[in-house]
Amino acid sequence: MSAAEVNFDGLPGPTHNYSGLAEGNLASERNRRLTANPREAALQVLAKMKALADAGYAQAVLPPHERPDIGALRALGFAGSDAEILASAARDAPRLLAACSSAAAMWAANAATVSPSSDTADGRVHFTPANLVSHFHRALETPTTTRILRAIFDDESRFVVHDALPAAAHLGDEGAANHTQFVADDNERGVELFVYGRVALDTSSPAPRRYAARQTREASEAVARLHELDPQRTVFAQQLPDAIDAGVFHNDVIAVGSGCVLFCHERAFLAQEELLRALREMIGDAFQTIVVREKDVSLDRAVATYLFNSQLIQRDDGTMLLVVPAECLEDGAVAAYLERLTRGDGPIRELLAFDLRQSMRNGGGPACLRLRVRLSEAERRSIRANVWLNAELHAALAAWIDRHYRDRLTADDLGDPALLDECRRALDELTRMLRLGSVYPFQRP
């Protein structure tokens, strides 16, 4: 049965703020302590989702996480009532409080790695939630992400949601931000590309000097085994260390692929020409590459505008739509390149730009905000949760955001116990709206 790619976008949570927690993410570091607008952040992402759904592309929703994470603060030695814990953390450990208040789960590309049923030995869609061990604030996400995925994809005859890999540095796993599935025909097995930043157990392998690489080869290989993939149709490639040092903390900051098209910078991968040849041999003559040269768009400009952190979506006629952040059209070199790209005879023929500035200031563009899941019609019908974005759900979510989200939030507001209450009330209502059951710690006995 024909399958199609679905984008599950993560909604920014009520504690969306700019604490600058992600080392190596230049936008996150640069915008530390700006005043955030959680309501605007959520509405910007919802507007992107609606525009794509209205254009006929399958679109679904992933909910925010409960924040601040009181359980994590208790585990770190803070005691008393929830309000007392927040007050003492704000006073004595504001950086820990910021980490436990992060709304970074909005970047759903880091939620999990997903392999479609066409590629797996048991014919089920496989999910492995990312352990995100490179940053404490993101490692907190894994348990809730796992519960949410199991609530949505609850038909065990069609889906399997694995446990995350062990939380160890040499098994650092950052999810689908470092994974791409290529497929030349919807009814065929695909080729899965796993991209890693370092080989953890080989100190002689190339490594960045300025920033730590987050994804390890060992983690990528483990996920491929868990998903029961065909080794003959699985490729492992290493990021260029210099690109990581330039701010390419995940592969999706420098490359994006879909169908049988790969759009990347010439400084994306080690041994890039060998990698492209290997992919062409596996995928066949339908495989197309668009490699952006440094002379057209420098690596620094690509990182600053998030040109490659774009969504590449196949249109009905087989050509591609590229969904970019508005910043791409505000940079002269990038805008000129995109003009030439879409007017040429290559596969990318349409361009859509969205204002996602609230997310972009924390280092997350269109591709960061979505988890791609290739599903057959039968697999889609088996999902009972109310996560498919349509006019009714869009209206309900927009009204929900207006009711529950603040339009101003700073790091100093994170210790406000009212913010925790607001978040819990909002999420309790949202889980009923989306028919997810009790997925948050405050909802569970």
Side-chain angles (χ1 to χ4, degrees):
M1 180 177 291
S2 181
E5 197 171 82
V6 178
N7 287 303
F8 283 77
D9 275 54
L11 275 175
T15 62
H16 164 70
N17 71 95
Y18 299 122
S19 293
L21 298 169
E23 183 184 6
N25 182 328
L26 302 185
S28 173
E29 293 178 346
R30 184 172 58 248
N31 294 308
R32 178 179 293 171
R33 297 197 70 81
L34 284 183
T35 298
N37 187 330
R39 182 183 301 161
E40 184 178 59
L43 291 174
Q44 285 176 349
V45 174
L46 187 61
K48 177 180 79 76
M49 285 192 275
K50 183 178 187 298
L52 293 176
D54 288 348
Y57 300 106
Q59 182 68 60
V61 179
L62 290 174
H65 289 200
E66 178 192 353
R67 293 293 182 269
D69 188 333
I70 296 297
L73 291 170
R74 287 188 187 278
L76 294 169
F78 296 98
S81 68
D82 291 350
E84 290 168 337
I85 286 173
L86 291 172
S88 56
R91 182 185 64 245
D92 300 332
R95 291 293 287 168
L96 277 180
L97 176 59
C100 292
S101 302
S102 169
M106 64 194 279
W107 296 305
N110 299 122
T113 304
V114 188
S115 294
S117 54
S118 57
D119 291 359
T120 62
D122 66 359
R124 296 187 291 173
V125 183
H126 284 241
F127 300 78
T128 296
N131 60 26
L132 298 170
V133 295
S134 66
H135 288 86
F136 169 65
H137 71 286
R138 301 228 58 184
L140 295 174
E141 297 168 18
T142 304
T144 298
T145 294
T146 303
R147 289 193 296 270
I148 289 171
L149 292 176
R150 285 174 176 163
I152 295 172
F153 303 100
D154 63 345
D155 183 346
E156 294 184 0
S157 70
R158 300 184 185 276
F159 309 110
V160 53
V161 179
H162 298 279
D163 291 333
L165 299 181
H170 73 273
L171 291 173
D173 178 25
E174 300 280 315
N178 295 306
H179 172 262
T180 302
Q181 193 237 10
F182 296 100
V183 60
D185 186 286
D186 287 340
N187 298 307
E188 293 181 353
R189 288 185 306 157
V191 170
E192 301 205 15
L193 170 65
F194 291 82
V195 180
Y196 59 93
R198 64 191 174 99
V199 184
L201 301 181
D202 180 1
T203 56
S204 67
S205 70
R209 297 178 298 275
R210 182 180 182 188
Y211 296 120
R214 301 188 188 183
Q215 182 82 23
T216 69
R217 180 172 179 123
E218 291 86 347
S220 297
E221 291 174 338
V223 171
R225 287 191 294 270
L226 285 170
H227 292 195
E228 302 177 17
L229 301 179
D230 182 351
Q232 300 304 312
R233 301 186 69 81
T234 306
V235 180
F236 301 94
Q238 186 168 356
Q239 289 181 271
L240 188 71
D242 287 348
I244 297 174
D245 282 336
V248 182
F249 51 96
H250 292 136
N251 179 62
D252 68 0
V253 179
I254 203 64
V256 58
S258 182
C260 52
V261 177
L262 174 63
F263 178 48
C264 67
H265 196 272
E266 68 175 343
R267 297 175 65 191
F269 307 100
L270 274 178
Q272 186 153 314
E273 291 303 321
E274 293 177 22
L275 168 65
L276 298 184
R277 281 196 298 272
L279 289 171
R280 183 175 299 280
E281 289 175 3
M282 290 186 180
I283 299 166
D285 292 339
F287 181 60
Q288 300 178 74
T289 58
I290 304 168
V291 180
V292 181
R293 304 301 176 188
E294 179 77 14
K295 65 181 179 65
D296 294 318
V297 178
S298 70
L299 181 60
D300 289 342
R301 282 178 182 258
V303 172
T305 61
Y306 270 38
L307 168 62
F308 296 98
N309 195 247
S310 301
Q311 292 177 244
L312 192 60
I313 303 175
Q314 188 165 340
R315 306 195 306 176
D316 289 341
D317 65 0
T319 63
M320 291 285 178
L321 161 69
L322 189 68
V323 177
V324 302
E327 284 80 354
C328 286
L329 302 188
E330 296 165 2
D331 181 285
V334 174
Y337 175 81
L338 289 171
E339 174 73 11
R340 296 193 301 272
L341 178 70
T342 53
R343 287 184 178 275
D345 58 0
I348 299 177
R349 302 293 179 84
E350 183 183 1
L351 188 73
L352 282 179
F354 288 96
D355 179 1
L356 297 167
R357 295 181 196 279
Q358 287 291 324
S359 176
M360 286 285 288
R361 287 171 186 153
N362 250 336
C368 284
L369 288 161
R370 59 91 175 97
L371 180 68
R372 292 183 289 182
V373 185
R374 182 171 288 275
L375 298 171
S376 69
E377 285 297 325
E379 289 161 350
R380 285 183 59 173
R381 288 196 301 269
S382 74
I383 295 174
R384 296 173 291 179
N386 182 36
V387 293
W388 301 107
L389 194 75
N390 52 28
E392 181 181 2
L393 182 57
H394 171 267
L397 287 171
W400 172 80
I401 291 166
D402 283 337
R403 281 195 303 275
H404 293 290
Y405 279 57
R406 299 185 183 188
D407 62 6
R408 183 183 187 280
L409 196 72
T410 69
D412 293 336
D413 297 322
L414 301 177
D416 180 2
L419 181 64
L420 174 63
D421 292 339
E422 291 165 18
C423 184
R424 286 176 172 173
R425 284 196 301 271
L427 295 181
D428 208 31
E429 182 180 331
L430 183 63
T431 51
R432 293 194 298 271
M433 185 190 307
L434 301 182
R435 299 200 295 268
L436 293 177
S438 299
V439 295
Y440 299 110
F442 75 92
Q443 296 174 317
R444 301 164 71 87

